[in-house]
C-alpha cells in the first residue's frame, strides 16, 4: 500500500494535509515554509508507531495517515491518533469504511468490543498479530519500511553515523554492503555525473571507526571521505544508499530531504532522474523535498506538492486539487521552475477569489 495523504499538528505548527500523494512526489516550497519539517514529521510519526525515540522528542502531537493500493483503487485505510503529554487521547482505524479501532480518553474499542490498552500506548502498538489483526499488521509493516536521508546533513561530520537519527546509515557500511555488480553500477553512474572514480573501498582508521577511500582516474593520490567536496560526498552517499535500500523487501517509503543540495545543473538533474526513475521502476514510493531550480525542471509538475505557509499553518497545492491552475500554467510554455518562482499561483488564486 502507499501513503495517499498525511496531516500533522503540533504546538505552533500544522500541516493541514499533504494530499493526493503519488508513487513519486517532489515537495517544493520557499525557505522556512516547511519542507524539512514535513519530512521530519513523517519520520517522527513512523518512529513513534515503532516505539522508537522520536527525532524531536515531542510529547504532544496528532497525525492522520490515509492509504490506498495501486492495484486496487477501491481499497482505503485511514488511521489517526492524538497524543497529549505522552497520553493517547484519540485513535481511529478505518478500513474500507469499517471502523476497527475507536478510542477516546474515556473508552477504547476494537471492532466495537471494549478493550483496555495502556494509556501511553496506541492499540496498533500492542495488538500485533498477522492472523488476528491483519490490518494493524499491514499498517505497522508500512511504518517499519519507511526510511529517510537528508542530503544537506551528509557531510564529513555526520557520515560516521554514530547516534545520527537524520542519516542512520554511515557511509562505510553502505560501501561495504555493495555487491561487486552494485559497486560497478555506482562507479558507472558516478562517471555519468562527472566524477571519474576508479575505485571505492573502506579501511579502518582507528579502532571501531571505518572510513571510505577512493581513487580518481588520472590522479595519483587517494582521497578519504573527509577530503571530498560536499557535492561529491552527497552524490556518492546517495548512490550507495539507493543501491543498498533496494535489498529491503519490506521498504515502503523513501524520504529524501534537500535533494540536489549543493549540486550543479548537470549533476542535480541527472541524479534526480536516476533516483526518481529507480523508485518508480522498483515500486518504491518516494517523497523528496527541494527548492533546487535544476531538479524542479526535470520533475513533472504533475508530481509536485507545493507547500504554502500562512502563519503556523502549511497547506498544499497540487495538480489533483488545482487542475485548472496547472492546465493554464502548462499553456504558458514557461519552465517548471517558473511555477514556483513567479507570481503565477498568487495571481491565479486571487482571480479565483
Amino acid at each position: 500500500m502507499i501513503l495517499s495523504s498525511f496531516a500533522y499538528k503540533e504546538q505552533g505548527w500544522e500541516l493541514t494535509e499533504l494530499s493526493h500523494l503519488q508513487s513519486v512526489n517532489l515537495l517544493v516550497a520557499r525557505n522556512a515554509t516547511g519542507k524539512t519539517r514535513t519530512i521530519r514529521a513523517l519520520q517522527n510519526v513512523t518512529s513513534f508507531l515503532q516505539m522508537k525515540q522520536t527525532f524531536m522528542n515531542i510529547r504532544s502531537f496528532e497525525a492522520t495517515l490515509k492509504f490506498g493500493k495501486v492495484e486496487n483503487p477501491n481499497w482505503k485505510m485511514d488511521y489517526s491518533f492524538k497524543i497529549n503529554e505522552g497520553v493517547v487521547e484519540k485513535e481511529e482505524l478505518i478500513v474500507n469504511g469499517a471502523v476497527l479501532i475507536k478510542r477516546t480518553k474515556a473508552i477504547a474499542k476494537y471492532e466495537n468490543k471494549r478493550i483496555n490498552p495502556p494509556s501511553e500506548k496506541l492499540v496498533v502498538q500492542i495488538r500485533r498479530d498477522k492472523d488476528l489483526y491483519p490490518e494493524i499488521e499491514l499498517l505497522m509493516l508500512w511504518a517499519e519500511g519507511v526510511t529517510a536521508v537528508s542530503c544537506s546533513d551528509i557531510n564529513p561530520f555526520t557520515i560516521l553515523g554514530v547516534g545520527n537519527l537524520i542519516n542512520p546509515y554511515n557511509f562505510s557500511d553502505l560501501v561495504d554492503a555493495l555487491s561487486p555488480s552494485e559497486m560497478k553500477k555506482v562507479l558507472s553512474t558516478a562517471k555519468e555525473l562527472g566524477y571519474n572514480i576508479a575505485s571505492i573501498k573502506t579501511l579502518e582508521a582507528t579502532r571501531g571507526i571505518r572510513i571510505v577511500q577512493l581513487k580518481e582516474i588520472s590522479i595519483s593520490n587517494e582521497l578519504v571521505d573527509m577530503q571530498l567536496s560536499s557535492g561529491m560526498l552527497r552524490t556518492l552517499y546517495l548512490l550507495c544508499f539507493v543501491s543498498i535500500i533496494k535489498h529491503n523487501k519490506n521498504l515502503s517509503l523513501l524520504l529524501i530531504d534537500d535533494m540536489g543540495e549543493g549540486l550543479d545543473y548537470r549533476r542535480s538533474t541527472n541524479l534526480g532522474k536516476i533516483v526518481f526513475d529507480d523508485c518508480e521502476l522498483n515500486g518504491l514510493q518516494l517523497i523528496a523535498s527541494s527548492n533546487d531550480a535544476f531538479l524542479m525542471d526535470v520533475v513533472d509538475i504533475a508530481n509536485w506538492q507545493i507547500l504554502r505557509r500562512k502563519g503556523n499553518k502549511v497547506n498544499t497545492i497540487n495538480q489533483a486539487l488545482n487542475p485548472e491552475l496547472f492546465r493554464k500554467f502548462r499553456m504558458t510554455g514557461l519552465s517548471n521552475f517558473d511555477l514556483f518562482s513567479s507570481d503565477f499561483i498568487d495571481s491565479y488564486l486571487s482571480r479565483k477569489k
Side-chain angles (χ1 to χ4, degrees), residues 109-127:
K109 291 184 177 182
Y110 183 83
E111 291 187 328
N112 214 31
K113 296 178 182 178
R114 189 158 182 168
I115 57 177
N116 190 26
S119 62
E120 76 281 2
K121 292 285 194 301
L122 296 167
V123 173
V124 298
Q125 293 171 327
I126 60 175
R127 300 247 167 172

Side-chain angles (χ1 to χ4, degrees), residues 227-273:
Q227 298 173 306
L228 302 181
S229 68
S230 59
M232 180 184 284
L233 180 59
R234 288 168 183 168
T235 299
L236 294 177
Y237 183 100
L238 198 56
L239 290 178
C240 294
F241 175 80
V242 172
S243 295
I244 293 307
I245 61 171
K246 289 187 292 186
H247 294 311
N248 184 355
K249 300 300 182 184
N250 296 321
L251 201 62
S252 58
L253 172 63
L254 172 59
L255 303 169
I256 303 179
D257 192 26
D258 283 329
M259 192 169 180
E261 179 74 15
L263 300 180
D264 57 29
Y265 174 80
R266 177 188 173 192
R267 287 163 178 154
S268 180
T269 55
N270 287 344
L271 184 61
K273 287 178 181 177

Side-chain angles (χ1 to χ4, degrees), residues 6 15 17-19 21 24-30 34-40 42 255-259 276 286-292 295-296 299 303-307 314-318 340:
F6 175 65
L15 175 67
E17 188 178 24
L18 189 65
S19 66
L21 292 167
V24 292
N25 308 269
L26 182 66
L27 303 184
V28 302
R30 300 186 186 280
K35 299 187 305 298
T36 295
R37 204 159 184 176
T38 297
I39 296 291
R40 298 283 170 83
L42 275 162
L255 303 169
I256 303 179
D257 192 26
D258 283 329
M259 192 169 180
F276 271 73
L286 169 67
I287 300 177
S289 75
S290 180
N291 57 4
D292 182 271
L295 183 59
M296 289 186 201
V299 176
N303 299 115
W304 281 24
Q305 296 279 346
I306 305 172
L307 302 183
V314 176
N315 58 29
T316 310
I317 290 176
N318 57 45
F340 169 76

